Amino acid sequence: MQAIKIKADELATFGKLLDAEDLIEKVLEGLDDTFQPVINAANSRETAITFDELHEKLINKELALHNSSSSVSVTAYSTHTQRSNQRFQRSPAPSASQ
């Protein structure tokens, strides 16, 4: 998003102003399906979303995606570790009466 904003500002210095709504539309078009909830929220607003609001929503979505994938990784690691530990536990020693 920062790179997009910089390019838009550079274009403005050369006299090619980009409409804020056009810029946001281009950003939304470039997002994949992972960001569909953000796209839907931005498109369903009565007033146009600002570039800064969109940026905040995208950061929040990325953090949520990162946190959920980290949780999955930790859970998978934990499950794998528990199973490995169970395999390597010693079976009880046979009693003297057997």
Short mmCIF file of all heavy atoms in Angstrom, two decimals, residues 4-5 7 10-11 14 16 20 26-27 31 45-47 51 53 55 73 75 78 85 89 97-98:
data_model
loop_
_atom_site.label_atom_id
_atom_site.label_comp_id
_atom_site.label_asym_id
_atom_site.label_seq_id
_atom_site.Cartn_x
_atom_site.Cartn_y
_atom_site.Cartn_z
N ILE A 4 2.14 1.88 -3.46
CA ILE A 4 1.07 2.41 -4.32
C ILE A 4 0.89 3.89 -4.05
O ILE A 4 0.78 4.69 -4.98
CB ILE A 4 -0.24 1.64 -4.08
CG1 ILE A 4 -0.10 0.21 -4.59
CG2 ILE A 4 -1.43 2.35 -4.72
CD1 ILE A 4 -1.24 -0.71 -4.18
N LYS A 5 0.87 4.25 -2.79
CA LYS A 5 0.71 5.66 -2.41
C LYS A 5 1.87 6.50 -2.94
O LYS A 5 1.67 7.59 -3.47
CB LYS A 5 0.60 5.77 -0.89
CG LYS A 5 0.35 7.15 -0.39
CD LYS A 5 -1.04 7.63 -0.73
CE LYS A 5 -1.32 8.94 -0.01
NZ LYS A 5 -2.25 9.76 -0.72
N LYS A 7 3.76 5.85 -5.58
CA LYS A 7 3.62 5.98 -7.05
C LYS A 7 2.54 6.99 -7.41
O LYS A 7 2.70 7.78 -8.34
CB LYS A 7 3.30 4.62 -7.69
CG LYS A 7 4.45 3.64 -7.62
CD LYS A 7 5.62 4.15 -8.42
CE LYS A 7 6.76 3.15 -8.36
NZ LYS A 7 7.98 3.65 -8.96
N GLU A 10 4.00 10.35 -6.90
CA GLU A 10 4.96 10.66 -7.97
C GLU A 10 4.23 11.08 -9.24
O GLU A 10 4.63 12.03 -9.92
CB GLU A 10 5.86 9.45 -8.25
CG GLU A 10 6.89 9.20 -7.18
CD GLU A 10 7.69 7.92 -7.43
OE1 GLU A 10 7.41 7.18 -8.41
OE2 GLU A 10 8.59 7.65 -6.63
N LEU A 11 3.16 10.36 -9.57
CA LEU A 11 2.37 10.73 -10.75
C LEU A 11 1.77 12.12 -10.59
O LEU A 11 1.71 12.90 -11.55
CB LEU A 11 1.26 9.70 -11.00
CG LEU A 11 1.71 8.36 -11.56
CD1 LEU A 11 0.56 7.35 -11.55
CD2 LEU A 11 2.25 8.53 -12.98
N PHE A 14 3.97 14.90 -11.53
CA PHE A 14 4.11 15.07 -12.98
C PHE A 14 2.82 15.56 -13.62
O PHE A 14 2.69 15.58 -14.84
CB PHE A 14 4.54 13.76 -13.64
CG PHE A 14 5.93 13.33 -13.25
CD1 PHE A 14 6.12 12.16 -12.53
CD2 PHE A 14 7.03 14.09 -13.60
CE1 PHE A 14 7.39 11.76 -12.17
CE2 PHE A 14 8.31 13.69 -13.24
CZ PHE A 14 8.50 12.52 -12.51
N LYS A 16 -0.23 14.18 -13.32
CA LYS A 16 -1.22 13.12 -13.58
C LYS A 16 -1.86 12.72 -12.25
O LYS A 16 -1.38 11.85 -11.54
CB LYS A 16 -0.53 11.91 -14.24
CG LYS A 16 -1.43 10.74 -14.47
CD LYS A 16 -2.54 11.05 -15.45
CE LYS A 16 -3.35 9.79 -15.70
NZ LYS A 16 -4.67 10.07 -16.15
N ALA A 20 -8.90 9.52 -5.92
CA ALA A 20 -8.78 8.62 -4.77
C ALA A 20 -9.64 7.37 -4.95
O ALA A 20 -9.21 6.26 -4.63
CB ALA A 20 -9.16 9.35 -3.49
N LYS A 26 -8.48 0.27 -7.91
CA LYS A 26 -7.35 -0.51 -8.44
C LYS A 26 -6.76 -1.41 -7.36
O LYS A 26 -6.40 -2.56 -7.62
CB LYS A 26 -6.26 0.41 -9.01
CG LYS A 26 -6.69 1.13 -10.26
CD LYS A 26 -6.90 0.15 -11.38
CE LYS A 26 -7.31 0.86 -12.65
NZ LYS A 26 -7.74 -0.03 -13.69
N VAL A 27 -6.65 -0.90 -6.14
CA VAL A 27 -6.14 -1.71 -5.03
C VAL A 27 -7.06 -2.90 -4.79
O VAL A 27 -6.61 -4.04 -4.68
CB VAL A 27 -5.98 -0.87 -3.75
CG1 VAL A 27 -5.68 -1.76 -2.55
CG2 VAL A 27 -4.89 0.18 -3.92
N LEU A 31 -6.50 -7.42 -5.19
CA LEU A 31 -6.51 -8.34 -4.05
C LEU A 31 -7.03 -9.71 -4.45
O LEU A 31 -7.91 -9.83 -5.29
CB LEU A 31 -7.37 -7.76 -2.92
CG LEU A 31 -6.90 -6.44 -2.33
CD1 LEU A 31 -7.95 -5.90 -1.36
CD2 LEU A 31 -5.56 -6.61 -1.64
N ARG A 45 -20.16 0.05 1.46
CA ARG A 45 -20.30 1.29 2.24
C ARG A 45 -21.13 2.33 1.48
O ARG A 45 -21.10 2.38 0.26
CB ARG A 45 -18.93 1.88 2.55
CG ARG A 45 -18.11 1.04 3.49
CD ARG A 45 -16.71 1.57 3.60
NE ARG A 45 -16.66 2.98 3.88
CZ ARG A 45 -16.06 3.53 4.94
NH1 ARG A 45 -15.47 2.75 5.80
NH2 ARG A 45 -16.04 4.83 5.11
N GLU A 46 -21.85 3.14 2.25
CA GLU A 46 -22.61 4.23 1.63
C GLU A 46 -21.68 5.36 1.20
O GLU A 46 -21.93 6.01 0.19
CB GLU A 46 -23.68 4.74 2.60
CG GLU A 46 -24.83 3.78 2.76
CD GLU A 46 -25.96 4.37 3.59
OE1 GLU A 46 -26.13 5.60 3.59
OE2 GLU A 46 -26.67 3.57 4.20
N THR A 47 -20.65 5.60 1.98
CA THR A 47 -19.64 6.59 1.62
C THR A 47 -18.36 5.86 1.23
O THR A 47 -18.08 4.79 1.76
CB THR A 47 -19.35 7.55 2.80
OG1 THR A 47 -18.88 6.79 3.91
CG2 THR A 47 -20.58 8.33 3.18
N PHE A 51 -8.31 5.91 1.55
CA PHE A 51 -7.12 5.10 1.35
C PHE A 51 -6.58 4.62 2.70
O PHE A 51 -6.23 3.45 2.86
CB PHE A 51 -6.05 5.91 0.60
CG PHE A 51 -4.90 5.09 0.15
CD1 PHE A 51 -4.93 4.39 -1.05
CD2 PHE A 51 -3.74 5.01 0.92
CE1 PHE A 51 -3.85 3.63 -1.47
CE2 PHE A 51 -2.66 4.26 0.50
CZ PHE A 51 -2.72 3.56 -0.70
N GLU A 53 -8.25 4.24 5.56
CA GLU A 53 -9.16 3.25 6.14
C GLU A 53 -8.95 1.88 5.50
O GLU A 53 -8.92 0.86 6.19
CB GLU A 53 -10.62 3.67 5.97
CG GLU A 53 -11.05 4.83 6.83
CD GLU A 53 -12.46 5.30 6.49
OE1 GLU A 53 -12.78 5.43 5.28
OE2 GLU A 53 -13.23 5.53 7.42
N HIS A 55 -6.25 0.82 4.02
CA HIS A 55 -4.94 0.33 4.46
C HIS A 55 -5.05 -0.32 5.84
O HIS A 55 -4.53 -1.42 6.06
CB HIS A 55 -3.95 1.49 4.49
CG HIS A 55 -2.54 1.07 4.69
ND1 HIS A 55 -1.57 1.96 5.03
CD2 HIS A 55 -1.93 -0.14 4.60
CE1 HIS A 55 -0.41 1.32 5.15
NE2 HIS A 55 -0.61 0.05 4.89
N SER A 73 -0.14 -23.79 12.85
CA SER A 73 1.21 -24.33 12.90
C SER A 73 1.56 -24.80 14.31
O SER A 73 2.13 -25.86 14.49
CB SER A 73 2.24 -23.29 12.44
OG SER A 73 2.00 -22.95 11.11
N THR A 75 -0.56 -25.66 16.69
CA THR A 75 -1.38 -26.83 16.99
C THR A 75 -0.84 -28.07 16.32
O THR A 75 -0.75 -29.14 16.94
CB THR A 75 -2.84 -26.58 16.56
OG1 THR A 75 -3.32 -25.42 17.22
CG2 THR A 75 -3.72 -27.76 16.87
N SER A 78 2.32 -29.11 18.12
CA SER A 78 1.99 -29.68 19.42
C SER A 78 1.47 -31.10 19.28
O SER A 78 1.87 -32.00 20.01
CB SER A 78 0.96 -28.80 20.11
OG SER A 78 0.57 -29.36 21.34
N ASN A 85 6.23 -38.21 21.37
CA ASN A 85 6.56 -38.55 22.76
C ASN A 85 5.87 -39.83 23.19
O ASN A 85 6.45 -40.63 23.91
CB ASN A 85 6.17 -37.41 23.69
CG ASN A 85 7.09 -36.22 23.55
OD1 ASN A 85 8.20 -36.34 23.03
ND2 ASN A 85 6.64 -35.06 24.00
N GLN A 89 7.80 -43.41 24.65
CA GLN A 89 7.67 -43.72 26.06
C GLN A 89 7.93 -45.20 26.26
O GLN A 89 7.51 -46.03 25.46
CB GLN A 89 6.27 -43.37 26.58
CG GLN A 89 6.05 -41.89 26.72
CD GLN A 89 4.65 -41.58 27.20
OE1 GLN A 89 3.80 -42.45 27.27
NE2 GLN A 89 4.42 -40.31 27.51
N SER A 97 6.68 -61.56 38.77
CA SER A 97 5.80 -62.72 38.86
C SER A 97 5.47 -63.32 37.51
O SER A 97 4.90 -64.38 37.42
CB SER A 97 4.53 -62.36 39.62
OG SER A 97 3.84 -61.35 38.90
N GLN A 98 5.81 -62.67 36.42
CA GLN A 98 5.45 -63.19 35.09
C GLN A 98 6.42 -64.17 34.61
O GLN A 98 7.43 -64.47 34.59
CB GLN A 98 5.29 -62.06 34.08
CG GLN A 98 4.08 -61.24 34.35
CD GLN A 98 3.93 -60.13 33.30
OE1 GLN A 98 4.83 -59.83 32.55
NE2 GLN A 98 2.77 -59.51 33.29
#
